[in-house]
Amino acid sequence: QTSITLNTKMIEIVNQMIASMQDTLEPCTRPEFLAGGATVCLIMVARWAWRKVSGPRYRIGQLPCAQYDRHAPRSSHYDVVIVGGGFAGIAMAEELYHRNVNFIVLEKATCGSSWRNRYERLHLHTRRGISSFRYWPLPSTLPEFISKSQLAEYIYSYSRFFPVQEHTSVTRSTFSEESSTWTLDLETAEGHVIDRPLPNQITCNALVVCTGQESAPNVPTFPSQSTFPGRIVHSQDYMTGKDFAGERVLVVGFGNSGVEIALDLVECGAKPDILMRSPVHMVPRWFTYTASLLFPVLLPLKPYLRPLLPYIKPDLIYYLVWGDLTKYNVRLRTSSLMDDIVRYHRAPVQDIGTMALIREGKVKVIPEEISHIDGFEVTFKDKSHEKYDSIILATGFNKGAGPYNDFLDADIVSGLVNEYGVVESGYESRAHRQLYFLGFSDFLGRLGEMGVEAQRVANDMQRKGYAKQ
């Protein structure tokens, strides 16, 4: 009888334990928990796939390869000439260097200077993990979203391992059908003396353009603009909001530069308004961060997404994320977000805090274009008017006037753009053989895609015999 009693108590205890475990595990069976677990697993798989695809990686401080011998004699012929010493140019350089290809990088200023000269508050909108060079990743001690100064120093430091001639511009390029080579005329920047300079004219089998397409600022003019006694500056010349402390400032343009400049102005004690010229796509930073974690999985899907692009509408997502923004005069586009990114290379506005300031009333959005200016007073097309001390033009750049216009023939330039008005990169150009563009595409983060494009271009040049090991 005692044995039966003990067994009964043991069964009761086991049943209580099972009931307790069921109560503990019950939340794990909910759909939101399962979806979160699946997302984490997918991110882990994506990170593993990225490391497999990107090849060997090294720590900062370790030499990725034998350092370039800067005392080696210069040549008048190279298999590949890379024009531009920014992130794209150095990404292409490291790929060719590890394949023992004979190449040279030409940079009109210093490597990374295009980032160093931008406004102080600028940080990358893509996470550190996909904004690194393939063979020399950014150290984990840096912030997840690094500053423009950190990126500029990173590019400059890494460029020291490769054959680079700085302060050198290409003034003219011609292609010889007879010898199947490019001939480049070079010019050294005034006031700079180069140790062991290249000849004034060099030849190459393949020409890689890594200059970017944003050099000529788009500067609109307004009626009676000459009467404005304050400062009118383009975002290209804007450095810090400290220069505008205490002023009322009109920021023209609601793109990435415009919203970040407005945020910087508020933090520095200015009072900005933003003129929203047209509707935009806008996403919070966590959205971009999540997409960048899935970068290795999503990037190969890019060609297969094209037929679906017009049907991927962001309306529901925008409503859930932002709610009704019309009361703040913020207008969101109703067209496909992915269509804008993949086909037209238009990146969405990434909100890093400006929307909170708009909701709090610290930043006012003006939905109308400027009608005319009369002294400090700016009148808009809805007849409203405000007084401003300065105007900042965050109006972007003229993509049709890229730096490559300075050395490529007009016939080649006219054939570069596709049916959507953009230059495709990562492939042999549609306009001319043995000509490549790198760093012009933007799907999930331009820096991350530059490394992938560099691998594809290097493979293509070796397959076609332009670059020999």
Side-chain angles (χ1 to χ4, degrees):
Q1 186 174 359
T2 303
S3 176
I4 293 173
T5 302
L6 289 173
N7 288 338
T8 303
K9 288 184 176 180
M10 289 179 63
I11 291 171
E12 289 177 357
I13 291 172
V14 171
N15 287 336
Q16 290 175 1
M17 291 175 62
I18 293 174
S20 176
M21 291 176 63
Q22 287 176 338
D23 291 339
T24 303
L25 296 175
E26 190 273 334
C28 299
T29 61
R30 293 176 182 172
E32 58 268 26
F33 184 90
L34 296 175
T39 302
V40 171
C41 292
L42 187 58
I43 290 172
M44 292 176 66
V45 170
R47 289 171 65 88
W48 172 84
W50 176 247
R51 291 187 178 277
K52 286 292 183 182
V53 170
S54 61
R57 300 171 75 80
Y58 301 81
R59 296 180 183 275
I60 290 292
Q62 291 180 327
L63 293 182
C65 48
Q67 190 169 8
Y68 168 66
D69 181 7
R70 295 190 172 277
H71 299 290
R74 295 291 195 188
S75 172
S76 60
H77 177 81
Y78 294 89
D79 285 349
V80 181
V81 169
I82 302 168
V83 183
F87 193 98
I90 303 306
M92 189 72 250
E94 71 166 356
E95 202 62 46
L96 296 177
Y97 196 81
H98 280 79
R99 298 166 188 248
N100 296 316
V101 173
N102 180 28
F103 73 95
I104 187 80
V105 180
L106 304 176
E107 165 57 39
K108 67 178 181 180
T110 57
C111 292
S113 59
S114 61
W115 285 96
R116 187 174 287 107
N117 297 332
R118 299 190 184 188
Y119 55 91
E120 292 179 7
R121 197 191 188 283
L122 179 62
H123 286 67
L124 292 187
H125 287 154
T126 52
R127 50 181 285 273
R128 183 185 63 242
I130 66 167
S131 303
S132 297
F133 291 114
R134 181 185 180 192
Y135 294 99
W136 215 26
L138 286 160
S140 58
T141 53
L142 291 179
E144 196 66 61
F145 299 96
I146 66 173
S147 70
K148 59 101 179 184
S149 299
Q150 290 168 327
L151 180 61
E153 187 58 36
Y154 175 54
I155 295 171
Y156 180 81
S157 299
Y158 195 31
S159 70
R160 302 301 95 184
F161 292 111
F162 307 114
V164 176
Q165 179 159 307
E166 296 176 319
H167 305 293
T168 302
S169 301
V170 180
T171 58
R172 186 167 177 265
S173 62
T174 55
F175 185 80
S176 170
E177 294 290 347
E178 183 179 351
S179 60
S180 293
T181 58
W182 288 93
T183 299
L184 308 178
D185 294 341
L186 309 183
E187 182 179 81
T188 303
E190 187 176 352
H192 292 277
V193 178
I194 298 175
D195 182 33
R196 297 179 306 104
L198 288 166
N200 292 332
Q201 193 175 81
I202 62 174
T203 59
C204 62
N205 297 336
L207 179 62
V208 185
V209 179
C210 302
T211 59
Q213 54 187 338
E214 300 174 345
S215 66
N218 180 28
V219 182
T221 56
F222 309 104
S224 306
Q225 178 177 308
S226 59
T227 66
F228 186 73
R231 288 174 289 179
I232 300 179
V233 299
H234 191 270
S235 59
Q236 177 179 249
D237 302 313
Y238 174 89
M239 293 306 294
T240 174
K242 297 174 185 176
D243 298 334
F244 301 86
E247 294 187 7
R248 288 218 58 196
V249 183
L250 176 63
V251 180
V252 180
F254 199 91
N256 278 304
S257 295
V259 297
E260 188 162 359
I261 286 173
L263 179 61
D264 187 41
L265 288 168
V266 171
E267 292 175 346
C268 293
K271 299 175 182 177
D273 291 346
I274 307 180
L275 191 156
M276 192 171 195
R277 310 176 77 197
S278 58
V280 298
H281 284 298
M282 181 168 64
V283 296
R285 172 164 273 185
W286 63 260
F287 182 92
T288 309
Y289 180 82
T290 304
S292 66
L293 288 174
L294 299 174
F295 180 82
V297 173
L298 295 176
L299 188 60
L301 299 178
K302 181 178 176 181
Y304 307 103
L305 287 174
R306 287 185 181 273
L308 304 175
L309 295 180
Y311 307 102
I312 305 176
K313 303 289 185 180
D315 305 51
L316 178 60
I317 296 175
Y318 283 167
Y319 180 78
L320 295 174
V321 172
W322 302 117
D324 182 15
L325 296 181
T326 55
K327 56 186 174 182
Y328 304 109
N329 294 328
V330 176
R331 294 165 292 155
L332 299 179
R333 294 175 66 91
T334 57
S335 60
S336 167
L337 169 61
M338 296 306 296
D339 201 23
D340 267 26
I341 295 174
V342 176
R343 286 182 174 166
Y344 299 99
H345 298 182
R346 288 196 292 254
V349 174
Q350 299 190 44
D351 175 51
I352 57 174
T354 308
M355 270 309 305
L357 297 177
I358 292 173
R359 293 179 191 274
E360 294 169 10
K362 295 180 180 179
V363 175
K364 176 183 174 183
V365 178
I366 297 173
E368 298 290 337
E369 287 278 11
I370 294 174
S371 171
H372 63 274
I373 298 175
D374 184 11
F376 285 108
E377 188 171 85
V378 177
T379 301
F380 303 97
K381 290 191 175 178
D382 63 352
K383 308 301 181 185
S384 63
H385 50 84
E386 298 283 352
K387 288 187 176 181
Y388 297 101
D389 301 299
S390 299
I391 298 174
I392 298 174
L393 304 175
T395 48
F397 295 81
N398 183 359
K399 292 185 177 180
Y404 49 81
N405 283 269
D406 296 337
F407 58 87
L408 290 178
D409 287 344
D411 291 342
I412 295 177
V413 172
S414 64
L416 291 176
V417 296
N418 61 17
E419 61 271 30
Y420 304 108
V422 297
V423 178
E424 292 288 352
S425 59
Y427 305 93
E428 189 168 15
S429 174
R430 56 193 285 158
H432 205 287
R433 64 189 180 97
Q434 294 168 240
L435 174 65
Y436 295 84
F437 285 77
L438 192 70
F440 289 71
S441 296
D442 195 352
F443 177 47
L444 293 172
R446 190 170 293 181
L447 296 188
E449 290 176 65
M450 287 176 185
V452 177
E453 288 184 1
Q455 295 177 57
R456 188 165 59 234
V457 168
N459 290 335
D460 188 67
M461 288 193 293
Q462 287 190 315
R463 186 176 63 255
K464 295 176 178 177
Y466 306 152
K468 299 174 182 147
Q469 272 187 310

